């Protein structure tokens, strides 16, 4: 059967390619930064006194509470939580939250690296980083607060899903849900300032951008889910889109790990879409058993976790190993010069060049240096393989094991 590419897909891909080259040619990132950074920086500096006043009430229990709360809405937590959501039978919610998380991560990190506004000065502000994840977060720019943005979007969408799922429910229960979400967002915002990770303008920015993204998502989520499940030319379109989004990313003023986070979730989105397309009618349709029902009791779900979690971790390791082996061979065969900053010691460059290469993600950065960073491809394929296993390989194992 002849495959016809829908016009809107061609327009979307063409428009993205055009925007990348226009941005590079006119150096739009630098122009936007010179316009926006001074305004944000002024307000970051002005907020130091407010953060210091907040931190006068410092107590070790508050340190633990806000650190734990920050972890609960962090990217590593969602990375662990979303597979369990898929295996619990709530496939639509899981894939929507995964794609939404990838979109939030891309949007928030793009804004961070375009503006390149620093976090609160430490000292005098006391910055608490209890986990490796928080240490890496502290290396990113501050505006907007990703924790606030992600909390608004993901908790807001989860509340929307629960209310829609329980249509005709008690209005008082819905009101309690709204209050809980608002309280959570408020605590996250306040906690990020208490921990010295963000200024007030970062929190306000995360709140505003989060509400904008959530409003947009609630407008398109049903159409997007229909396209993912039943659309035409989905796999090839999403693969091309995912690769282009590795280029359609601004170069920050100084190197940060934000692009690496985007690369990982970009791969996750591709793996989820590809896997769901292959197994939707077997494992991800709306009639699959759901947790806490007679068809999927907690004991069976526990068995799924015991099988699923080690499997996806093994696939992640195998995907990384395979990518580290194949990508250099393919690049050499095609005559593409490559470099590595993390994964392949034989391709490491000098210290000075290594620092400049970590910015990545922009056409100008990729090609002016005369080589491509193979670590980006390795990370992308590693997380794509992990996500594919969550929705394809692991549910297949559940089927054969009677789980």
């Amino acid at each position: 059967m002849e495959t016809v590419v829908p016009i809107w897909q061609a327009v979307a891909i063409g428009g993205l390619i055009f925007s990348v080259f226009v941005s590079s040619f006119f150096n739009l990132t630098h122009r936007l930064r010179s316009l926006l950074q001074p305004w944000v920086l002024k307000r970051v500096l002005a907020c130091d006194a407010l953060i210091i006043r907040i931190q006068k009430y410092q107590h070790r229990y508050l340190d633990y509470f806000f650190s734990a709360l920050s972890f609960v809405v962090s990217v590593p937590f969602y990375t662990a939580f979303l597979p369990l959501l898929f295996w619990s039978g709530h496939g639509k919610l899981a894939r929507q939250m995964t794609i939404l998380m990838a979109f939030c991560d891309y949007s928030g990190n793009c804004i961070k690296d375009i503006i390149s506004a620093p976090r609160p000065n430490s000292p005098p502000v006391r910055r608490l980083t209890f986990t490796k994840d928080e240490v890496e977060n502290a290396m990113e720019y501050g505006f907007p607060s990703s924790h606030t943005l992600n909390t608004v979007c993901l908790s807001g969408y989860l509340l929307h899903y629960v209310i829609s799922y329980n249509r005709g429910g008690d209005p008082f229960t819905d009101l309690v849900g709204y209050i809980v979400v608002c309280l959570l967002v408020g605590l996250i915002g306040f906690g990020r300032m208490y921990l010295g990770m963000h200024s007030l303008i970062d929190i306000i920015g995360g709140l505003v951008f989060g509400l904008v993204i959530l409003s947009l998502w609630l407008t398109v989520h049903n159409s997007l889910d229909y396209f993912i499940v039943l659309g035409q030319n989905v796999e090839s379109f999403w693969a091309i889109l995912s690769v282009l989004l590795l280029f359609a990313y601004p170069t920050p003023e100084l190197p940060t790990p934000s692009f690496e986070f985007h690369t990982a979730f970009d791969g996750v989105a591709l793996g989820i879409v590809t896997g769901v397309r292959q197994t939707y009618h077997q494992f991800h349709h709306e009639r699959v058993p759901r947790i806490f029902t007679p068809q999927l009791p907690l004991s069976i779900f526990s068995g799924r976790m015991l099988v699923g979690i080690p499997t996806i971790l093994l696939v992640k390791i195998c995907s990384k190993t395979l990518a580290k082996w194949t990508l250099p061979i393919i690049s050499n065969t095609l005559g593409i010069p490559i470099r590595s900053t993390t994964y392949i010691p034989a391709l490491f460059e000098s210290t000075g060049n290594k620092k400049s290469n970590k910015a990545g993600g922009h056409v100008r950065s990729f090609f002016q240096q005369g080589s491509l960073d193979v670590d980006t491809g390795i990370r992308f394929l590693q997380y794509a393989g992990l996500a594919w296993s969550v929705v394809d390989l692991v549910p297949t194992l559940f089927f054969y094991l009677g789980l």
Side-chain angles (χ1 to χ4, degrees):
M1 180 181 296
E2 183 179 358
T3 301
V4 179
V5 178
I7 294 177
W8 73 267
Q9 293 185 16
V11 170
I13 295 298
L16 185 57
I17 294 174
F18 177 76
S19 67
V20 168
F21 281 99
V22 167
S23 176
S24 296
F25 184 79
F26 291 104
N27 201 10
L28 293 184
T29 296
H30 178 74
R31 294 174 184 270
L32 287 171
R33 182 178 300 138
S34 62
L35 179 66
L36 298 173
Q37 186 187 69
W39 185 88
V40 176
L41 180 58
K42 180 180 179 181
R43 283 151 182 81
V44 171
L45 295 175
C47 193
D48 284 354
L50 172 62
I51 299 174
I52 292 172
R53 285 201 299 271
I54 292 174
Q55 292 185 337
K56 286 182 178 179
Y57 299 95
Q58 183 265 340
H59 192 281
R60 69 176 185 274
Y61 291 130
L62 290 177
D63 295 348
Y64 298 149
F65 173 74
F66 286 120
S67 295
L69 195 61
S70 293
F71 174 76
V72 169
V73 296
S74 66
V75 170
F77 175 82
Y78 285 118
T79 303
F81 170 72
L82 290 173
L84 304 183
L85 198 57
F86 275 105
W87 304 336
S88 71
H90 292 277
K92 180 177 180 179
L93 174 63
R95 58 181 176 265
Q96 281 292 305
M97 290 191 69
T98 302
I99 305 302
L100 176 57
M101 185 70 197
F103 185 67
C104 289
D105 186 75
Y106 174 74
S107 302
N109 286 351
C110 277
I111 299 170
K112 281 178 184 285
D113 285 349
I114 287 175
I115 299 178
S116 296
R119 294 179 183 269
N121 291 317
S122 177
V125 169
R126 180 182 61 103
R127 182 171 297 155
L128 294 178
T129 53
F130 285 104
T131 65
K132 181 182 177 182
D133 176 59
E134 284 288 76
V135 173
E136 292 180 343
N137 286 338
M139 297 169 62
E140 294 185 286
Y141 289 109
F143 180 87
S145 166
S146 296
H147 280 73
T148 305
L149 189 155
N150 293 341
T151 303
V152 170
C153 290
L154 296 174
S155 62
Y157 185 79
L158 178 61
L159 177 62
H160 168 79
Y161 178 85
V162 171
I163 292 176
S164 301
Y165 185 71
N166 297 316
R167 288 174 181 167
D170 183 8
F172 177 76
T173 304
D174 297 344
L175 177 61
V176 171
Y178 282 108
I179 293 174
V180 169
V181 168
C182 292
L183 181 62
L184 177 62
V185 172
L187 286 173
I188 290 297
F190 181 82
R192 298 308 284 170
M193 290 194 293
Y194 174 87
L195 295 173
M197 295 294 287
H198 285 289
S199 60
L200 181 61
I201 188 64
D202 301 335
I203 303 302
I204 294 174
L207 179 63
V208 171
F209 285 116
L211 290 173
V212 171
I213 292 173
L214 179 60
S215 299
L216 173 65
W217 200 261
L218 293 178
T219 302
V220 303
H221 72 108
N222 283 325
S223 299
L224 177 62
D225 195 65
Y226 179 85
F227 169 69
I228 292 173
V229 172
L230 299 172
Q232 185 179 12
N233 199 44
V234 176
E235 292 94 332
S236 57
F237 170 76
W238 207 283
I240 295 171
L241 176 66
S242 298
V243 172
L244 287 177
L245 287 178
L246 297 177
F247 292 83
Y249 190 91
T251 303
E253 192 171 54
L254 294 173
T256 74
S258 297
F259 178 65
E260 299 174 7
F261 300 154
H262 157 60
T263 301
F265 256 95
D266 191 21
V268 166
L270 176 62
I272 292 297
V273 170
T274 303
V276 168
R277 288 283 298 180
Q278 299 298 319
T279 60
Y280 174 74
H281 295 290
Q282 290 79 26
F283 307 124
H284 303 292
H285 55 84
E286 291 301 300
R287 297 182 302 278
V288 297
R290 292 179 172 172
I291 192 170
F292 302 128
T293 63
Q295 294 77 24
L296 185 56
L298 187 58
S299 58
I300 298 297
F301 182 72
S302 300
R304 289 187 171 190
M305 289 194 294
L306 291 175
V307 172
I309 292 176
T311 301
I312 64 175
L313 294 177
L314 179 61
V315 170
K316 180 183 177 183
I317 295 172
C318 293
S319 298
K320 180 179 179 180
T321 303
L322 184 62
K324 288 171 62 176
W325 177 65
T326 58
L327 287 183
I329 295 175
I330 295 173
S331 300
N332 291 334
T333 302
L334 297 177
I336 301 173
I338 58 176
R339 65 183 186 275
S340 175
T341 55
T342 305
Y343 294 134
I344 305 178
L347 298 175
F348 286 178
E349 295 186 340
S350 63
T351 303
N353 288 337
K354 181 177 177 180
K355 288 181 180 179
S356 64
N357 288 342
K358 289 295 285 183
H362 197 286
V363 169
R364 189 177 295 256
S365 298
F366 271 115
F367 292 106
Q368 278 189 348
Q369 296 166 10
S371 61
L372 294 176
D373 189 353
V374 72
D375 293 351
T376 298
I378 294 172
R379 188 175 295 108
F380 176 77
L381 293 177
Q382 173 187 6
Y383 282 91
L386 180 149
W388 165 81
S389 69
V390 169
V391 295
D392 193 330
L393 175 62
V394 170
T396 301
L397 292 177
F398 292 162
F399 174 77
Y400 285 109
L401 293 174
L403 297 175

